[in-house]
Amino acid sequence: MIVLVNGGSASASEIVAGALQDHRRATLIGTRSFGKGSVQTIIPLGSGNGALRLTTARYFTPSGRSIQAKGISPDIEVLQDVPEEIQARAAVTETRGESSLRGHLKAEGDEQGGSQSYVPPDTKDDKALNMALDLIRGTKINPAFPPNPKSATLPN
């Protein structure tokens, strides 16, 4: 199985991708994910009094890796060619990531910035998708594909 990820992949999709990666059930292709590794509940404090943001959970992969402000790194990084007319709009070509948001929940250890999130409208120009198809078809090889479930390193 191959899972495509990029800077636009966040929250639940990161948990699924990270779990498949930890268990060596999928090869992740693309760029690092967003890093939304927490669940927060907003509690209104009444009219004009603002709100309280309460963190109620943090996301971890089965091996114990934190997703918060780090994201999930792909097994095979594939950067997309971004047309010049779109490069001027940095928000389209690179997502800032959770770590760049004001007031974000801090990560344990090093935080990671955003990563590329551009997906071309025509599938023939999508480098990550085409890499995935080439690997599945056997026209390209990479040591990360197929993953070996026996090499999964999970806590007991």
Side-chain angles (χ1 to χ4, degrees):
M1 178 185 303
I2 292 177
V3 176
L4 300 178
V5 295
N6 67 20
S9 305
S11 205
S13 69
E14 291 176 289
I15 296 168
V16 172
L20 289 168
Q21 186 181 50
D22 279 2
H23 286 288
R24 305 289 193 267
R25 297 296 183 177
T27 299
L28 276 54
I29 297 178
T31 60
R32 190 180 54 260
S33 65
F34 186 79
K36 176 68 173 127
S38 64
V39 177
Q40 296 173 330
T41 303
I42 306 299
I43 303 168
L45 298 176
S47 180
N49 292 322
L52 174 69
R53 181 174 51 184
L54 179 65
T55 300
T56 54
R58 289 187 88 154
Y59 297 142
F60 293 87
T61 67
S63 68
R65 286 185 297 155
S66 174
I67 296 169
Q68 180 61 30
K70 295 178 182 182
I72 299 290
S73 294
D75 299 304
I76 303 171
E77 183 178 54
V78 177
L79 296 174
Q80 185 60 53
D81 293 331
V82 181
E84 287 183 28
E85 62 273 10
I86 294 177
Q87 286 181 5
R89 300 181 301 197
V92 173
T93 60
E94 187 168 297
T95 301
R96 291 176 48 186
E98 175 79 6
S99 64
S100 67
L101 299 176
R102 185 176 58 85
H104 76 277
L105 188 62
K106 300 292 183 197
E108 295 175 12
D110 291 337
E111 295 184 351
Q112 299 286 320
S115 72
Q116 193 179 60
S117 62
Y118 175 73
V119 177
D122 191 338
T123 57
K124 73 174 177 49
D125 299 323
D126 188 329
K127 286 185 163 187
L129 174 63
N130 287 303
M131 169 64 89
L133 292 171
D134 288 343
L135 289 170
I136 289 170
R137 292 175 180 143
T139 58
K140 283 191 180 173
I141 60 169
N142 187 293
F145 181 81
N148 181 358
K150 292 179 181 175
S151 68
T153 54
L154 300 174
N156 293 333

